[in-house]
Amino acid sequence: MANEFTFSISTTRFDEDYAPSENSRITTNFANLARGEHRQQNLRNALTMIERRFNSLAHWDNPTQDRYGVELEIVSVELEFTAGDEDKEFPLLEVLDITIVDRKTGVRHQGIVGNNFSSYVRDYDFSVLLPAVTEAAGKFTLPDEFGVLHGKLFQHFLASDAYRERFTTSPVICISVSTSKEYQRTANHHPILGVEYQQNDYSLTDEYFGKMGLSVRYFMPPGSVAPLAFYFQGDLLNDYSNLQLAGTISTMETFQKIYRPEIYNANAVAAHVYRPTLDQQNFSSTQIAYDRVERSQLASAQGKFTQEHFITPHQDVLDRWAAGYAAEADADYATAVA
């Protein structure tokens, strides 16, 4: 049953000449930067910030702080399936992939895929389904099986030939910590990830990513002012090289400084007990144009698009696939432990 859903991958170079294609998700954060009068300057400034941050983290044997270049590609994933005896496609998700270029040796290092994760089905879950169920109940209410389909699709993609043929490591998704939770600094420290924070109450996003098979840890890297949330499989601290981790941090911290300067470009470092907020004014602007209101509106629009073109017309196919995928996964697990 799971084999009825397959995937195809296409890539687009993300540089100062990048322009979103007609098929690109318009809520993707990097696409937001690539529109408007100052689009090229936006992109140039963001890429410069990423590279400078990377060199500050990869400081060993790098006295002039310019040894490394960072190249980014947008990875677009299409879901392919059959419905009503017709072949169908639907844009599932987009992420960024990183390549680190050592200008001293000429070696190109593969970074970690997963940065700037965005998903049509996630837009539907959070911007259409959750508000509708909450409104009907008259109070905040999680829909039944919230995030389950999205989680199974994501895990099926990671197990697919399309993913395994292109990527040799599991993805890491790095995003902002939740403004609804409190984080406690610990004594644990990593040379690249920095100081670890913990919290005892997972956010809705933490739980949603958990259904994608991802664990979460929170670290504030050296030179940062707030912790980031890292979602991963396996062992975050040991499965990746320092250069790979530096690539993810430099990329995602730069985007968070643009998206959420109140937290990640604040003028004060996060305290031992930290609750992030978008209400405080003690922060610096990156001078890179980004429209948070527009992005929220577009997320709702694309969630409705997903409902109209994917969820509603193919509900029976999706339900059968999800049930079959669960049974198949249970059988695989039983075989593994037997």
Side-chain angles (χ1 to χ4, degrees):
M1 178 68 74
N3 290 331
E4 293 180 6
F5 280 16
T6 58
F7 305 90
S8 64
I9 294 175
S10 61
T11 59
T12 305
R13 180 70 178 267
F14 181 66
D15 55 21
E16 65 180 50
D17 297 318
Y18 165 72
S21 71
E22 293 181 359
N23 297 324
S24 180
R25 292 187 66 253
I26 52 177
T27 61
T28 303
N29 289 322
F30 42 78
N32 187 294
L33 298 180
R35 294 198 301 275
E37 179 183 357
H38 303 292
R39 54 170 300 278
Q40 192 168 53
Q41 190 63 43
N42 273 349
L43 294 169
R44 186 180 298 122
N45 289 346
L47 293 166
T48 298
M49 288 174 63
I50 290 170
E51 194 162 293
R52 287 176 176 171
R53 180 59 171 135
F54 183 91
N55 280 284
S56 74
L57 288 166
H59 54 79
W60 56 93
D61 289 340
N62 189 8
T64 56
Q65 299 286 282
D66 61 358
R67 175 171 175 170
Y68 297 100
V70 179
E71 296 178 356
L72 301 174
E73 274 193 324
I74 300 166
V75 177
S76 302
V77 180
E78 293 272 339
L79 174 65
E80 301 174 345
F81 60 102
T82 301
D85 296 324
E86 293 184 4
D87 293 334
K88 303 287 185 179
E89 291 184 349
F90 189 79
L92 188 64
L93 60 90
E94 282 187 335
V95 291
L96 284 178
D97 191 22
I98 298 174
T99 299
I100 301 141
V101 181
D102 188 333
R103 297 185 177 117
K104 181 178 179 180
T105 66
V107 174
R108 297 172 63 84
H109 301 272
Q110 179 61 54
I112 306 173
V113 69
N115 310 276
N116 250 318
F117 173 83
S118 59
S119 159
Y120 269 106
V121 178
R122 185 170 181 249
D123 279 348
Y124 165 75
D125 281 342
F126 278 92
S127 299
V128 176
L129 180 60
L130 180 59
V133 171
T134 294
E135 181 179 4
K139 61 180 181 179
F140 179 80
T141 303
L142 276 181
D144 293 338
E145 301 294 295
F146 184 67
V148 171
L149 173 64
H150 181 268
K152 290 179 178 180
L153 289 171
F154 181 78
Q155 292 186 65
H156 187 41
F157 170 58
L158 296 192
S160 70
D161 291 339
Y163 185 89
R164 292 179 174 180
E165 288 171 1
R166 181 176 179 87
F167 304 108
T168 58
T169 60
S170 297
V172 174
I173 299 172
C174 177
I175 64 174
S176 170
V177 286
S178 173
T179 56
S180 67
K181 302 300 177 184
E182 187 173 270
Y183 300 84
Q184 176 78 43
R185 190 182 301 183
T186 73
N188 193 32
H189 186 274
H190 183 275
I192 301 298
L193 291 167
V195 63
E196 185 167 18
Y197 278 73
Q198 291 182 346
Q199 53 116 319
N200 296 324
D201 183 19
Y202 286 132
S203 69
L204 180 58
T205 296
D206 295 338
E207 294 174 349
Y208 192 85
F209 279 99
K211 292 174 183 176
M212 296 161 60
L214 303 178
S215 302
V216 63
R217 292 177 76 169
Y218 318 94
F219 285 91
M220 184 167 69
S224 300
V225 298
L228 292 157
F230 295 85
Y231 298 90
F232 60 94
Q233 291 182 336
D235 187 339
L236 177 65
L237 276 63
N238 295 299
D239 288 349
Y240 307 96
S241 71
N242 285 343
L243 288 180
Q244 288 179 313
L245 293 173
T248 290
I249 293 166
S250 60
T251 301
M252 291 315 303
E253 186 179 89
T254 294
F255 280 112
Q256 293 300 345
K257 284 182 176 181
I258 297 168
Y259 308 153
R260 292 190 158 191
E262 299 91 339
I263 298 174
Y264 291 97
N265 218 32
N267 296 324
V269 177
H272 280 74
V273 177
Y274 177 62
R275 182 151 192 163
T277 176
L278 296 175
D279 295 331
Q280 65 99 11
Q281 300 300 312
N282 185 25
F283 66 93
S284 300
S285 171
T286 62
Q287 303 301 312
I288 296 175
Y290 177 77
D291 192 333
R292 284 198 299 220
V293 174
E294 179 194 47
R295 189 206 181 283
S296 178
Q297 293 169 342
L298 291 173
S300 178
Q302 292 197 160
K304 292 175 182 176
F305 172 86
T306 303
Q307 181 181 36
E308 179 181 353
H309 295 280
F310 184 58
I311 301 295
T312 299
H314 305 303
Q315 189 71 67
D316 290 344
V317 173
L318 295 172
D319 288 345
R320 288 197 304 271
W321 176 84
Y325 185 83
E328 200 169 275
D330 288 345
D332 289 344
Y333 176 78
T335 300
V337 300

